[in-house]
Amino acid sequence: MSRKDLSALLLLALIWGASFLFMRIASPVFGPVVTTELRVAIAAGALLLYAVLTRSPIGLRKRWKPFLLLGGLNAALPFSLICAAELHLSASLAAILNATTPIFAALAAWGTGGERPGLSKAAGLVLGLAGVGILVGWSPEPMDKTMLYSVLFSLGAALAYGFGGLYAARVGKGVPPLTLAIGQQLGAAALLLPLVAVFPPPERPTMAAALSVLCLSLICTAFAYLLYFRLIASVGAVKTVSVTFLVPVFGLVWGVIFLHESVYLNTVAGLAIILLGIALIGGRFRKAVGQKGTLARHLAKVESENAEL
């Protein structure tokens, strides 16, 4: 990997890690539903504009039903759950809990009749869950019902990413990555739109919250996807998926720097054990899935097919 590509990979991890910071700022002001709706709708608009300017074919009409389900599983539900969790959780803790996505993806694949985990993957599952236990159970901060529900929301988001990843791998065959990204965001926006009236913003919008939503939409979603696609074209999907290991680290760093969040020994220990579990499950990153890893796995298949041709 060249220095330029490595810099792009670090930038991508930096951006996706910052998404937890922006959700932590925006969600209490706009509410989880409105924050997510604004995020996916603005991002979809930006990606559509990019597709028009680059004259990239989209072809959304033929696949609108799968995109609705994909948008629900891989964007609307997990984004909203993370925003709801971050009403009470720190951005750094939410980022680390979200790193369990490959763990839940492996469980989802096993539960739906996919590949049974071998010894290495089973050990990774146990380690990952143990890391969550250390991260949450050994925290010096009090664990009341509100905090417990917030942790469950974060883990629920990771679970949704797991099932969303399996579904995306199924419906994404033969679909251009940009079309997959736009369809997912549009599907999520369509599903959340009726809920905006039911869950209006609890507070008057602030400048910080508005800027956070714009950063979430334009930088953490639209621009990040374009950077992601460029990396895959340059270094391949397998190497690009290594970003999975860097996102929670940057999420923790941003929370400490900008929100002055506390980092305890259990935070570092839990993160290290979760990442070790992911390494065992992923098998050198090849099986990593989720909102980002799913596209990588799909594109890895495309790469291998093109190589055969």
Side-chain angles (χ1 to χ4, degrees):
M1 184 182 296
S2 68
R3 184 174 300 178
K4 181 180 178 180
D5 291 328
L6 180 59
S7 299
L9 184 70
L10 291 174
L11 177 60
L12 183 61
L14 181 153
I15 290 172
W16 271 331
S19 67
F20 296 91
L21 168 69
F22 296 133
M23 284 188 281
R24 182 71 181 88
I25 296 172
S27 187
V29 177
F30 287 104
V33 172
V34 175
T35 298
T36 304
E37 171 65 16
L38 290 172
R39 175 181 183 177
V40 296
I42 296 173
L47 289 171
L48 278 171
L49 178 61
Y50 174 81
V52 170
L53 293 176
T54 57
R55 298 181 180 180
S56 302
I58 303 175
L60 297 173
R61 291 184 180 180
K62 297 183 295 183
R63 307 179 181 91
W64 68 270
K65 289 183 179 180
F67 282 154
L68 274 178
L69 182 54
L70 180 63
L73 282 175
N74 232 23
L77 180 58
F79 287 175
S80 298
L81 285 174
I82 294 172
C83 284
E86 289 202 56
L87 294 175
H88 306 285
L89 290 185
S90 65
S92 54
L93 180 56
I96 296 172
L97 288 172
N98 189 69
T100 60
T101 292
I103 297 171
F104 284 103
L107 288 173
W110 185 19
T112 54
E115 180 183 357
R116 296 183 62 180
L119 182 59
S120 177
K121 289 185 179 180
L125 291 172
V126 173
L127 276 176
L129 297 177
V132 172
I134 292 173
L135 186 67
V136 176
W138 287 4
S139 174
E141 297 181 358
M143 181 58 64
D144 55 16
K145 285 186 178 181
T146 300
M147 290 293 289
L148 179 60
Y149 286 139
S150 298
V151 169
L152 292 177
F153 284 161
S154 287
L155 296 177
L159 179 62
Y161 280 140
F163 280 102
L166 294 176
Y167 185 69
R170 174 184 171 187
V171 302
K173 295 178 180 179
V175 181
L178 184 57
T179 299
L180 200 62
I182 294 173
Q184 175 177 292
Q185 307 309 322
L186 285 176
L191 290 173
L192 288 171
L193 186 59
L195 298 178
V196 170
V198 181
F199 301 99
E203 299 180 17
R204 178 178 295 180
T206 63
M207 181 61 70
L211 289 176
S212 294
V213 168
L214 286 177
C215 289
L216 267 176
S217 305
L218 299 178
I219 299 177
C220 299
T221 307
F223 174 74
Y225 267 117
L226 297 178
L227 181 61
Y228 183 70
F229 297 149
R230 194 202 71 80
L231 266 172
I232 288 175
S234 179
V235 302
V238 174
K239 290 182 180 179
T240 304
V241 175
S242 61
V243 73
T244 304
F245 286 76
L246 300 173
V247 170
V249 176
F250 278 107
L252 188 152
V253 170
W254 292 136
V256 171
I257 293 176
F258 291 102
L259 299 179
H260 308 292
E261 296 176 350
S262 300
V263 177
Y264 305 105
L265 179 61
N266 74 296
T267 306
V268 178
L271 173 59
I273 294 173
I274 288 172
L275 293 182
L276 179 58
I278 294 172
L280 290 173
I281 291 172
R284 297 168 59 188
F285 316 128
R286 294 182 183 273
K287 298 294 184 179
V289 294
Q291 181 197 7
K292 301 169 278 293
T294 296
L295 290 175
R297 187 175 70 171
H298 163 58
L299 291 170
K301 293 180 180 179
V302 176
E303 284 182 316
S304 63
E305 291 171 358
N306 290 339
E308 291 175 359
L309 295 174

